Amino acid sequence: MAVLALAACSDSGGSTAPSTAPSAAPVTVATAATTVLPSTAVATTAAATTVATTTSTTSTSTPPAAATTTITTTTATTTTTTLPPTALPGVAGLDGDALQVAEIGRSVDGRPIRAVERGTRGGTPVLVIGVIHGDEQAGVAILEQLATLPVPPGIDLWLVESMNPDGQAVPQRGNAHGVDLNRNFPDGWGPIGAPGDGQYAGTGPASEPETQAIVNLVGLIRPALTIFYHQDLNRLSPSNGVEGQLKERYAALTGLPIERITGGTYTGVAATWIRKQTGSPSFIVELGPTLSREQADTHAAAVLDIATMAAAA
């Protein structure tokens, strides 16, 4: 599947608000997704099955000439059996030290969207999303590394391998409705195109269940840093303030150039909405057309490096 031309997936940079509350009007979304609180226990807790066992009747009779007496004894025994947790396919490289593996929503076609929490619960929340456009999947390799590398102290790391599993399965840019999820977020949403168009924005702000899942997750964890992976422009767009410093550090560690991205219609962009909601850095990393294992390792290490910077900012 061809990747659309320049900037079809970028947030075109942007500066970070110092620490102000969002100015955008709130948007209410309806969702059937499982609500996950940052303080909950691991979502894959085992189920308990109760088994009841009943002992049947016992009769004792005297000789024929005497009256007959029947004694009935019933014993009820309850046994609790703990079932092992079910495996969770589709969670990138999940290591055994996850604090939580939570289903945060379902796609249009019913595929689960899961978040893995690692590190220090109650620490500085950092959110990394590997796939938003289904035909741009190189970010998964970075998430696989982030699911196993040691997390720096004080970082509450949240990993979403893919918020667009339906698009990934095809693969295609949009979700099963043909919506570009990076044009479907509430900030500045506007109608773009029609189903089948590369930047089709959907029927309204946060109209898609995948968008709603991320909107709800962001509202719960309030990330101090959010990173989305895209392809294949191989760059970071310039920014100001703390976000600019984080991008410069990321670029220095990975070798990505910092170059402006132009040419798209940038309404309803995920990173922009999160930045305005949280007042914290939120940006896109444009990977190249391919990503080697060594490059994935480098990018994962860069994420953890700037996560520590964001926590100190």
Side-chain angles (χ1 to χ4, degrees), residues 236 245-258 298 302:
L236 291 159
Q245 295 169 17
L246 296 177
K247 285 184 174 182
E248 288 171 5
R249 176 64 175 166
Y250 195 101
L253 292 171
T254 61
L256 285 179
I258 296 180
T298 299

Side-chain angles (χ1 to χ4, degrees), residues 180-296:
D180 179 347
L181 297 176
N182 203 36
R183 300 295 181 272
N184 189 240
F185 278 75
D187 180 65
W189 182 90
I192 305 174
D197 294 339
Q199 295 188 62
Y200 173 50
T203 57
S207 62
E208 304 308 296
E210 299 91 345
T211 307
Q212 294 167 16
I214 299 302
V215 165
N216 290 335
L217 179 63
V218 167
L220 287 170
I221 69 173
R222 304 291 296 177
L225 169 64
T226 305
I227 297 173
F228 287 86
Y229 284 101
H230 289 253
Q231 287 175 276
D232 53 358
L233 299 180
N234 197 52
R235 68 186 68 178
L236 291 159
S237 61
S239 295
N240 301 317
V242 174
E243 183 170 304
Q245 295 169 17
L246 296 177
K247 285 184 174 182
E248 288 171 5
R249 176 64 175 166
Y250 195 101
L253 292 171
T254 61
L256 285 179
I258 296 180
E259 299 176 7
R260 192 162 298 281
I261 300 171
T262 59
T265 302
Y266 302 123
T267 56
V269 173
T272 306
W273 177 81
I274 294 173
R275 185 188 304 123
K276 291 183 178 180
Q277 288 294 304
T278 64
S280 299
S282 173
F283 61 87
I284 285 168
V285 175
E286 281 277 358
L287 302 169
T290 61
L291 190 75
S292 69
R293 172 60 184 271
E294 292 72 24
Q295 288 172 322

Side-chain angles (χ1 to χ4, degrees), residues 14 35 46 70 75 272 289 294:
T35 300
T70 302
T75 304
T272 306
E294 292 72 24

